[in-house]
Amino acid sequence: MKRLRKLLLLNVIGIVLIIYNTIPDYRTNRNTFPHLQSTTPFRDSTDKGGFPDVIVIGVEGCGNTVMMNFLNATGYFQVPNRTTYSSDFFTGNWERGEEWYRSLFTQENGQRITIENSPHYFYAYPPTIPQKMLTLNPNMKVILQLCDPIQRAFSCYVHNHKHYTPNIAGAFAEYARVHLLQLQGELNTKIDFHHQERHVLSKWNSRNRCIQAGLYVYHLERWQKSFNHSRMLILDGDDMIREPWTSYAKIQDFLEMPKLIHKEDWVLNNKTGQYCLKPSSRIPKPPLCVQPKSTDIQQPKEEIISAFTTFYKPYNEELFKILGYRYPWQ
Ligand SMILES: Nc1ncnc2c1ncn2[C@@H]1O[C@H](COP(=O)(O)OS(=O)(=O)O)[C@@H](OP(=O)(O)O)[C@H]1O
């Protein structure tokens, strides 16, 4: 009887040890993220990477980097093994091939949502980018942030010229005088929407880039044709500044992920005027807040804003009709 009991006890210990060893080890790098122990709707735990589940397609200058910083801090996402969150695969890096693209996401993070942010995809050539994405992953989702195209054009210009142009507002005014007229003239010569759309696309990487990217109406249709409501989330980039919790609530719903970022997690940084994430049990080490580049410098004059307003107005109006929603842009 004593021997039987001993044998039973040894068996139990053996079974416990076997079970313990087969449980994935979250202690090493996942201790701070206990929520990661549930699988995402996107991947099973044996998947070691592949094409992204989600791509942030733009628009550049509408707050995508800061959005990615905060999402990445949750530990729930797998981002490219690069210095930026972008791959630019569907534009500049297409020739490198699919294996190169996959290799950017090959960490052992099977439980995370794989995401990248290439914020010029929305307005970039070729027009087939949406279809190409779905060929690689038919379940892919996309996130788009739209913001005031005038503010965006200035932000784009500042990003490209700040380091070597002392009078940035003056240089931007000159740029606007030449390129607004030129682009409007070119669009006027096109016979219909389709030809205008092609023209705008062909300019995606030209000197007009900072302006043409803001002609959202020419770009939205081709994305909506490929990605329906359940696969495409359109956010208001201004929310990322004024009330980021609204955007993160929408993102978390859209990606069917646990609610890791809440309203009470945000604190307003009085120096930068931006909301920043506070450390919490869910996000112990949030990223540092960054100072926006185009707010601490001289702003464009009223006449330039007014020229931009006139230029963008008809395109914005068409966009609002398609969206069934008015953005509070001028
Ligand atoms: N919390 C917070 N902190 C800093 N910046 C914020 C934030 N929320 C939104 N923004 C806005 O994001 C603008 C930069 O947008 P992107 O990251 O999409 O630009 S880019 O892709 O790097 O070109 C940036 O524009 P710039 O002022 O030109 O830097 C801001 O207007």
Side-chain angles (χ1 to χ4, degrees), residues 60-66 155 159 240-241 274-275 290 292-294:
E60 204 177 358
C62 290
N64 302 301
T65 313
V66 76
S155 168
H159 277 257
M240 203 48 87
I241 300 171
Q274 306 292 328
Y275 278 97
V290 287
K293 292 187 193 66
S294 44

Side-chain angles (χ1 to χ4, degrees), residues 145 235-236 239-240 243-252:
Q145 287 204 101
L235 296 171
D236 183 342
D239 284 347
M240 203 48 87
E243 39 177 44
W245 49 89
T246 314
S247 299
Y248 288 94
K250 288 179 187 165
I251 294 170
Q252 293 172 133

Side-chain angles (χ1 to χ4, degrees), residues 282-294:
R282 282 163 273 110
I283 305 166
K285 284 189 189 159
L288 291 176
C289 275
V290 287
Q291 170 74 46
K293 292 187 193 66
S294 44

Side-chain angles (χ1 to χ4, degrees), residues 68-303:
M68 290 294 290
N69 283 346
F70 293 135
L71 287 179
N72 195 28
T74 63
Y76 205 75
F77 292 87
Q78 183 182 325
V79 297
N81 314 323
R82 306 190 96 197
T83 46
T84 67
Y85 298 116
S86 308
S87 76
D88 298 326
F89 176 62
F90 296 95
T91 47
N93 286 321
W94 181 253
E95 298 302 322
R96 294 186 180 210
E98 291 176 13
E99 280 317 303
W100 174 83
Y101 192 34
R102 288 177 76 100
S103 75
L104 302 181
F105 303 98
T106 52
Q107 300 152 15
E108 292 194 14
N109 291 325
Q111 290 186 307
R112 296 183 185 183
I113 296 175
T114 307
I115 189 168
E116 69 136 318
N117 164 42
S118 292
H120 50 257
Y121 283 165
F122 178 64
Y123 62 90
Y125 197 88
T128 48
I129 293 177
Q131 290 101 298
K132 282 180 166 181
M133 285 179 175
L134 287 170
T135 307
L136 299 186
N137 175 7
N139 296 320
M140 199 176 281
K141 291 185 170 187
V142 291
I143 297 179
L144 170 68
Q145 287 204 101
L146 296 178
C147 59
D148 182 340
I150 307 177
Q151 206 61 52
R152 205 213 70 80
F154 185 52
S155 168
C156 169
Y157 193 83
V158 171
H159 277 257
N160 294 336
H161 296 87
K162 194 175 180 182
H163 295 300
Y164 50 94
T165 309
N167 173 11
I168 196 90
F172 180 66
E174 201 42 46
Y175 170 78
R177 267 186 210 110
V178 175
H179 291 282
L180 281 179
L181 270 182
Q182 189 183 319
L183 190 54
Q184 189 63 73
E186 288 164 2
L187 286 173
N188 288 347
T189 63
K190 307 292 165 205
I191 50 172
D192 59 19
F193 183 87
H194 176 71
H195 288 85
Q196 290 168 349
E197 181 194 24
R198 288 296 150 129
H199 182 73
V200 169
L201 254 183
S202 73
K203 293 272 173 183
W204 87 271
N205 212 5
S206 71
R207 293 201 65 211
N208 280 347
R209 173 182 173 151
C210 287
I211 302 172
Q212 81 85 0
L215 294 167
Y216 302 141
V217 68
Y218 289 119
H219 308 295
L220 189 66
E221 198 185 33
R222 68 176 177 278
W223 288 95
Q224 284 188 325
K225 268 188 193 150
S226 298
F227 292 89
N228 65 22
H229 279 310
S230 65
R231 304 223 153 267
M232 181 168 178
L233 176 67
I234 305 179
L235 296 171
D236 183 342
D238 290 332
D239 284 347
M240 203 48 87
I241 300 171
R242 283 192 312 256
E243 39 177 44
W245 49 89
T246 314
S247 299
Y248 288 94
K250 288 179 187 165
I251 294 170
Q252 293 172 133
D253 277 352
F254 176 66
L255 299 181
E256 298 167 65
M257 59 180 281
K259 311 249 178 302
L260 303 174
I261 303 179
H262 298 247
K263 184 173 177 183
E264 61 272 18
D265 294 333
W266 296 92
V267 61
L268 187 65
N269 179 332
N270 290 325
K271 272 194 203 141
T272 66
Q274 306 292 328
Y275 278 97
C276 306
L277 268 183
K278 296 186 282 194
S280 69
S281 58
R282 282 163 273 110
I283 305 166
K285 284 189 189 159
L288 291 176
C289 275
V290 287
Q291 170 74 46
K293 292 187 193 66
S294 44
T295 49
D296 61 339
I297 53 179
Q298 196 192 350
Q299 297 298 301
K301 287 206 172 108
E302 199 42 55
E303 67 196 70

